[in-house]
Amino acid sequence: MTTTARPTWTISASRPDQPDAVLLLREYMTEMVVRYHRRPALPGEVDEALAEMPSDDLAHPDGLLLLAHHGDDLAGCAGLRWHSGWAELTRVFVRPAHRGAGGGAALLAAVEQRATAAGADRIRLDTRADLVEARALYARHGYAEIPAYSQGPYAEHWFEKRLS
């Protein structure tokens, strides 16, 4: 009996303007729009959301964008924005076909390692109430709910994980 090896997760840095990053960030934002409105995205809605919440600061020196591959497949992304002594996690996304295979955990481990290496002592994030899977992922990986640290229009839950 032969068993097929499961694909492994590999994580690498990318500029947000690179084609794979642009594709994943658009897919991320499409899902955010669809879930928020509970209907298919209307023409132009995703472009408006991308313009309202750009990701161009997820590059040196302001931040970092990581892309995840599951085997040979482009499968997900996560970003960090640098603050004085801490990092903000954003744009965590795993393509639906790769969910449940450990991609969220792989991305969190990678951003935590990068944040620690950059001197951050904690990671913070905000998220929406409807993103229950994301909130469960963060809680499983040691992120605790904290009082609001930001006032974004879509921020309804705030989390933090101490790295040191």
Side-chain angles (χ1 to χ4, degrees):
M1 180 166 152
T2 31
T3 58
T4 305
R6 290 185 176 173
T8 59
W9 287 94
T10 54
I11 313 290
S12 59
S14 174
R15 292 191 47 82
D17 59 357
Q18 294 302 302
D20 284 350
V22 169
L23 177 66
L24 283 172
L25 290 167
R26 175 168 283 282
E27 288 180 21
Y28 162 85
M29 195 59 73
T30 299
E31 183 167 323
M32 294 303 100
V33 167
V34 167
R35 288 186 67 161
Y36 183 76
H37 293 294
R38 297 184 182 144
R39 59 159 169 76
L42 300 175
E45 229 170 10
V46 173
D47 290 330
E48 289 171 18
L50 286 164
E52 178 187 345
M53 293 177 290
S55 299
D56 54 337
D57 61 345
L58 300 179
H60 183 74
D62 301 315
L64 170 72
L65 180 66
L66 298 177
L67 302 186
H69 284 80
H70 192 213
D72 293 332
D73 296 340
L74 181 64
C77 62
L80 288 173
R81 290 190 176 102
W82 306 123
H83 295 271
S84 181
W86 62 282
E88 182 176 27
L89 180 61
T90 187
R91 308 296 190 265
V92 178
F93 175 72
V94 176
R95 285 176 148 173
H98 298 281
R99 291 180 185 164
L107 283 162
L108 289 179
V111 296
E112 290 167 12
Q113 185 273 326
R114 299 288 183 108
T116 299
D121 67 0
R122 66 195 179 279
I123 293 178
R124 288 181 168 177
L125 66 99
D126 62 50
T127 191
R128 298 187 332 221
D130 64 316
L131 300 177
V132 293
E133 304 90 345
R135 291 182 11 238
L137 173 73
Y138 302 135
R140 267 194 320 274
H141 290 275
Y143 290 76
E145 285 213 50
I146 60 170
Y149 71 88
S150 65
Q151 295 184 330
Y154 306 104
E156 298 170 311
H157 292 269
W158 296 263
F159 289 83
E160 178 178 271
K161 181 174 182 178
R162 295 265 172 196
L163 299 173
S164 53

